[in-house]
Amino acid sequence: MPIVILSPYSGRPVKIRDKDIGRSVRDEENRIFYVVSRSQGEGYYASLTRNGSEKDEKRYDELEQKTAVADVHKREELAQPVHNAMGRKRKGTWVRRLIYLAILGGLAYGAWTQKDRFMGSDDPSTPAIEQTVPVDAPADAPTDSTETPEGNQ
């Protein structure tokens, strides 16, 4: 059955096993303390030394009293209404979504209308890009096609 002991450093509760009495124990911040039997033999307390002393036992009793008072204050605070620091929920989120949707629709429409400019067209009614003559070739030189520069004769 677990035993709950208050850490002598932070005052926070630490669960220990029955086997851990007289051994070193670590709290939530990995600080070492020892669980020692009380001098009257009724219960246990946390000590900074392995053997403990009357001074450590008194210090632990004071710590228990402080935490008991803190628990009472904590319960009183919880009974009071809690302040919501998050504020109210934003209004107008549907307006913002509508604006984003309109912008996205405009971008999609623009991309759809300009797709032929970037991707080329398979439509036969649009003129094909003609092959140009290299700049280094003389003007009198025949082109690769069977036509002459003056036209078909």
Side-chain angles (χ1 to χ4, degrees), residues 116 121-129:
D116 293 338
S121 175
D122 294 336
D123 188 13
S125 65
T126 58
I129 300 174

Side-chain angles (χ1 to χ4, degrees), residues 19-74:
K19 295 188 278 185
D20 293 333
I21 297 171
R23 296 183 182 172
S24 62
V25 180
R26 292 185 185 266
D27 65 358
E28 74 280 350
E29 295 176 357
N30 283 336
R31 293 180 290 197
I32 297 174
F33 65 94
Y34 300 91
V35 179
V36 183
S37 298
R38 291 190 178 266
S39 59
Q40 289 86 16
E42 51 188 57
Y44 308 99
Y45 69 97
S47 172
L48 300 176
T49 61
R50 184 176 293 275
N51 296 329
S53 65
E54 289 182 29
K55 186 177 177 182
D56 287 337
E57 192 171 347
K58 287 179 185 178
R59 189 181 305 137
Y60 186 77
D61 291 337
E62 291 172 6
L63 181 66
E64 281 184 326
Q65 291 174 358
K66 287 179 186 176
T67 56
V69 170
D71 286 342
V72 170
H73 288 301
K74 193 179 289 184

Side-chain angles (χ1 to χ4, degrees), residues 79-107:
Q80 296 176 357
V82 178
H83 171 69
N84 184 2
M86 292 177 22
R88 295 187 327 210
K89 184 178 178 183
R90 284 183 170 180
K91 293 184 179 181
T93 55
W94 65 273
V95 174
R96 187 176 299 120
R97 288 181 184 169
L98 186 64
I99 291 171
Y100 288 150
L101 188 62
I103 291 171
L104 185 62
L107 290 174

